[in-house]
Amino acid sequence: MSYKPITLLLFAHLLLKILAIHAKVSSIIVFGDSSVDSGNNNHIPTTLKSNFRPYGRDFNGGQPTGRFSNGRIATDFISDAFWLKPTVPAYLDPAYNISDFVTGVCFASAGTGYDNDTSNVLSVIPLWKELEYFKEYQKRLKGYIGEEKAKNVLNEALYLISVGTNDFLENYYAYPRRSSEFSVENYQYFLAGIARDFVLELFQLGARKISLGGLPPMGCLPLERARNVMYGSKCIEEYNNVAKSFNEKLKELVMKMNKEHEGIRLVLSNSYDILSEIIQKPQSFGFDNAITACCATGMFEMGYMCNIFNPFTCTDAHAYVFWDSFHPTEKTNAIVAQHAVKNSLVEFYYN
């Protein structure tokens, strides 16, 4: 069955709203990379930014915010689904203060990874520093609404973690250090160990409802297809297999931590299957193109290469699965968020 782009987007939004009636989540707290960064990189000295047009051209009247998309990202839609704000503000954005962060805050930084070496590639915020910002936020929140109320907000918040793609594509497969130190499987275990420690520290800081994001079919990103031009610009299945294997390790981690730590409610939000389905059957979701991106030539460009001066950018992003060579369009983000809400996050609606 085929859907018109706008109709599908509105349907996904309406479904999330209907489900949200019974939601019991106080706040959305976000950690990760460019898949969920709502603007933190705007305020650090890095070249990896998106606070210029055409980024954000479909966001609130055409406002570039630092989100790597034409509009909202998945965490914005999830926040909306839980009857909170329609967008999750970036912690480092001076336009916001602690009153804006009571119901949602984002600590994510585009280009980061589990591995500290990954964040060093483009001089972005490492995951450990995101956690330090969260600790600072906790203190500010307690000072603003009081110790008891802050504890309740933090206990009832939904913590979303989306990170890992850069560890492979921008680190392991791009530079020799980690690939000479680890086999790809051992590197997966290395990253899973960091994920475990990160979740455990969040839990010790009061987090109870935690979603750990899986890797997407990263071999099908337009950038990777473009690099595979000698083989017909097909998906790089080696990368997809690595993503699936790592997701299995995260699944085992989630099961283990739920057994070992009383009170934790850890889920795996795995977007791999829904994104694969969209990429393989784009017309079924109202898309025309799942191979190249909307911005510029759609093959290599992201960040500063995806700019308003490029004459090749598409006129209708709703027809595309990908916005730039690495990131989905707003419409894709809405579908991915809907899938997460209906599956991994559904238990948080009722208790």
Side-chain angles (χ1 to χ4, degrees), residues 324-335:
D324 66 17
S325 65
F326 214 82
H327 305 98
T329 57
E330 178 183 58
K331 180 181 167 185
T332 306
N333 286 328
I335 297 170

Side-chain angles (χ1 to χ4, degrees), residues 101-136:
F101 299 144
V102 174
T103 56
V105 61
C106 172
F107 301 100
S109 175
T112 202
Y114 286 113
D115 187 349
N116 287 338
D117 274 12
T118 304
S119 61
N120 291 337
V121 172
L122 288 164
S123 301
V124 299
I125 304 169
L127 200 59
W128 67 264
K129 183 63 175 178
E130 292 185 24
L131 197 62
E132 290 302 307
Y133 281 132
F134 172 64
K135 293 175 184 177
E136 178 184 272

Side-chain angles (χ1 to χ4, degrees), residues 47-64:
T47 57
L48 189 56
K49 299 178 187 287
S50 60
N51 56 338
F52 46 84
R53 302 213 45 195
Y55 285 99
R57 73 180 192 187
D58 299 309
F59 184 96
N60 194 24
Q63 178 185 355

Side-chain angles (χ1 to χ4, degrees), residues 56-348:
R57 73 180 192 187
D58 299 309
F59 184 96
N60 194 24
Q63 178 185 355
T65 61
R67 289 167 172 81
F68 281 78
S69 186
N70 60 303
R72 290 196 287 172
I73 52 181
T75 42
D76 294 323
F77 287 106
I78 292 170
S79 176
D80 210 358
F82 281 93
W83 214 254
L84 300 169
K85 291 181 179 179
T87 58
V88 181
Y91 185 67
L92 297 184
D93 191 336
Y96 300 103
N97 56 47
I98 190 62
S99 64
D100 299 301
F101 299 144
V102 174
T103 56
V105 61
C106 172
F107 301 100
S109 175
T112 202
Y114 286 113
D115 187 349
N116 287 338
D117 274 12
T118 304
S119 61
N120 291 337
V121 172
L122 288 164
S123 301
V124 299
I125 304 169
L127 200 59
W128 67 264
K129 183 63 175 178
E130 292 185 24
L131 197 62
E132 290 302 307
Y133 281 132
F134 172 64
K135 293 175 184 177
E136 178 184 272
Y137 160 75
Q138 285 186 307
K139 293 177 182 177
R140 293 176 63 192
L141 187 67
K142 290 172 183 177
Y144 179 64
I145 61 174
E147 187 91 22
E148 200 59 37
K149 286 184 179 179
K151 182 181 178 182
N152 184 65
V153 167
L154 295 168
N155 285 164
E156 294 295 340
L158 175 56
Y159 296 76
L160 303 175
I161 305 165
S162 179
V163 67
T165 303
N166 295 316
D167 290 306
F168 293 99
L169 298 185
E170 304 303 320
N171 184 357
Y172 188 85
Y173 287 111
Y175 296 95
R177 183 182 173 201
R178 288 308 193 195
S179 57
S180 63
E181 186 178 359
F182 296 100
S183 68
V184 68
E185 184 171 18
N186 285 339
Y187 189 59
Q188 291 175 17
Y189 282 117
F190 171 69
L191 297 180
I194 297 171
R196 178 198 62 229
D197 294 343
F198 185 81
V199 169
L200 183 57
E201 188 158 4
L202 273 182
F203 177 65
Q204 291 168 344
L205 289 168
R208 293 296 177 266
K209 305 171 184 179
I210 307 171
S211 167
L212 190 60
L215 296 187
M218 56 191 185
C220 293
L221 298 176
L223 179 62
E224 304 312 321
R225 284 181 183 257
R227 290 171 174 168
N228 202 30
V229 66
M230 295 297 291
Y231 297 92
S233 296
K234 294 180 180 179
C235 296
I236 301 177
E237 291 306 324
E238 177 187 353
Y239 293 172
N240 286 347
N241 290 335
V242 167
K244 287 188 284 188
S245 175
F246 184 63
N247 290 343
E248 283 300 312
K249 290 175 176 60
L250 292 182
K251 183 179 177 181
E252 293 170 7
L253 173 65
V254 166
M255 293 174 62
K256 190 169 187 288
M257 292 194 76
N258 280 323
K259 289 179 180 178
E260 292 179 349
H261 303 284
E262 186 178 354
I264 197 171
R265 297 171 64 193
L266 179 62
V267 299
L268 178 65
S269 291
N270 191 351
S271 64
Y272 188 98
D273 290 341
I274 184 62
L275 279 170
S276 288
E277 188 177 352
I278 293 170
I279 290 165
Q280 291 167 12
K281 301 176 182 178
Q283 286 77 19
S284 298
F285 295 87
F287 295 105
D288 295 330
N289 192 328
I291 298 174
T292 57
C294 170
C295 195
T297 66
M299 295 186 289
F300 299 101
E301 299 89 349
M302 64 176 171
Y304 284 115
M305 293 179 69
C306 171
N307 59 62
I308 199 168
F309 303 106
N310 197 304
F312 300 109
T313 298
C314 77
T315 56
D316 181 15
H318 284 92
Y320 287 74
V321 174
F322 294 98
W323 166 248
D324 66 17
S325 65
F326 214 82
H327 305 98
T329 57
E330 178 183 58
K331 180 181 167 185
T332 306
N333 286 328
I335 297 170
V336 170
Q338 176 193 5
H339 182 268
V341 166
K342 288 173 60 182
N343 292 276
S344 56
L345 305 181
V346 69
E347 70 169 273
F348 302 125

